Amino acid sequence: MNEVLLVTRHDGWMELTLNRPERLNAFNEALHAKLAAALEEAGHERWRAVLLSGAGRGFCAGQDLGDRAGAEGPPDLGETLERFYNPLVRRLRRLQKPVVCAVNGVAAGAGANIALACDIVLAARSAKFVQSFAKIGLVPDAGGSFFLPRLVGAARARALVLLGEPVGAEQAEHWGMIWKAVDDTALMTEARALAAHLATQPTQGLALSKAALNASAGNALDEQLNLERDLQRAAGRTPDYREGVAAFVEKRAPRFTGRPA
Ligand code: LHQ
């Protein structure tokens, strides 16, 4: 049987490829389990960045809608979220290193929202994002009702959620839903270069920056100022801060290790 998740270990960073191309990389339990295990491994100090992408012509079509064929009675979709999607979104957000997402093709339903949960999202110009839940009587999940309005604003989020209309990569960039639309043929080269670059950067500082941005959505200014104080205190104690300042003063390129204080 084909591996449902391809894991490629590069120099300091991991590349994770959803690999059910015949189902546009829709999630089943096996894929959830493999991705959870890979993200667990990605938490290890030796990995300093992660790249998530999909095999074939799609990024991810969300939940595999054929997965429960033949099951009796109405499903408990809340339990599916509790067991699989919510832990996945939390893992991506809490991972103490940057997660780059290369959206190589259509990202639908939970697949779209998992992309939005990543830190830096690149998308092939031909890719599109669809909040397809409305088409099958569901509500946006995998954090979509949290991320989408914060990224694109309330008016666009409401229309996208209620209509389920696709948004192309360029529009998504224009709206601030993603970082960048990239030519299809350049996507993976650019995404890999970005992940490789991030893996040479001050990992602890990036992790603390990610924590600050994660908290910002729910904090008032005073709370956020206090948090910045605490995180900066921690960042100022890391070897990479010392190295960054030394390299600046000595007018040379820094050699960051990513090690904790
Ligand atoms: C699929 C799927 C798919 C299985 C394409 N499943 N096979 C969370 C918790 C619990 C439960 C419920 O949900 C959730 C969150 C969710 O994610 S709900 C939303 C689930 N996703 C969708 O509703 C999207 C369904 N897919 C589509 O609307 C289209 O396939 C899109 C717009 C993504 C792509 O359209 P096309 O480019 O025209 O491709 P296609 O429809 O021809 O799909 C290609 C193949 O992939 C096809 O199989 P076949 O054997 O006919 O070639 C599809 O059946 C299969 N596929 N999505 N989610």
Side-chain angles (χ1 to χ4, degrees):
M1 202 181 76
N2 279 346
E3 288 291 342
V4 292
L5 182 76
L6 305 178
V7 180
T8 312
R9 294 168 181 83
H10 297 275
D11 187 16
W13 59 281
M14 283 174 87
E15 181 170 347
L16 308 179
T17 310
L18 309 176
N19 189 36
R20 303 187 68 224
E22 70 290 351
R23 291 280 165 269
L24 299 180
N25 304 317
F27 273 97
N28 59 10
E29 290 197 14
L31 179 52
H32 273 294
K34 292 285 185 190
L35 186 54
L39 290 172
E40 191 68 32
E41 182 188 339
H44 190 278
E45 207 180 295
R46 81 179 264 217
W47 305 117
R48 297 170 66 187
V50 173
L51 171 60
L52 179 65
S53 191
R57 72 174 178 89
F59 170 68
C60 177
Q63 171 69 19
D64 188 324
L65 296 173
D67 210 27
R68 284 187 47 91
E72 275 178 36
D76 182 350
L77 300 188
E79 203 224 337
T80 310
L81 294 180
E82 190 67 26
R83 278 183 64 199
F84 298 112
Y85 290 90
N86 292 357
L88 169 56
V89 171
R90 291 188 178 110
R91 268 191 195 98
L92 291 168
R93 295 301 271 197
R94 289 178 185 165
L95 196 64
Q96 292 181 16
K97 53 210 72 185
V99 181
V100 176
C101 185
V103 179
N104 51 298
V106 66
N113 294 336
I114 284 159
L116 300 185
C118 295
D119 295 307
I120 302 183
V121 185
L122 304 179
R125 244 175 256 290
S126 68
K128 55 187 178 176
F129 297 79
V130 201
Q131 296 292 322
S132 46
F133 310 91
K135 309 269 187 201
I136 54 171
L138 293 183
V139 304
D141 61 19
S145 63
F146 180 91
F147 299 122
L148 200 61
R150 284 169 171 80
L151 290 167
V152 303
R156 286 167 181 152
R158 275 172 196 257
L160 293 179
V161 165
L162 299 180
L163 298 172
E165 282 185 10
V167 179
E170 286 183 11
Q171 183 74 84
E173 175 188 326
H174 185 64
W175 281 354
M177 192 196 290
I178 64 167
W179 167 235
K180 230 199 252 190
V182 176
D183 286 342
D184 288 23
T185 51
L187 177 72
M188 292 315 297
T189 308
E190 194 158 325
R192 288 182 183 124
L194 183 57
H197 164 75
L198 287 165
T200 65
Q201 294 305 293
T203 310
Q204 301 300 319
L206 299 187
L208 295 165
S209 300
K210 181 167 168 172
L213 294 171
N214 284 349
S216 152
N219 272 352
L221 175 61
D222 277 335
E223 293 167 309
Q224 195 66 17
L225 289 173
N226 289 340
L227 179 65
E228 288 179 358
R229 175 201 60 209
D230 296 342
L231 296 174
Q232 199 69 296
R233 183 172 288 139
R237 291 175 176 149
T238 60
D240 281 344
Y241 170 62
R242 272 200 304 283
E243 166 63 8
V245 174
F248 176 78
V249 172
E250 293 161 23
K251 299 189 188 302
R252 61 169 174 82
R255 289 178 297 269
F256 296 120
T257 64
R259 294 212 184 89

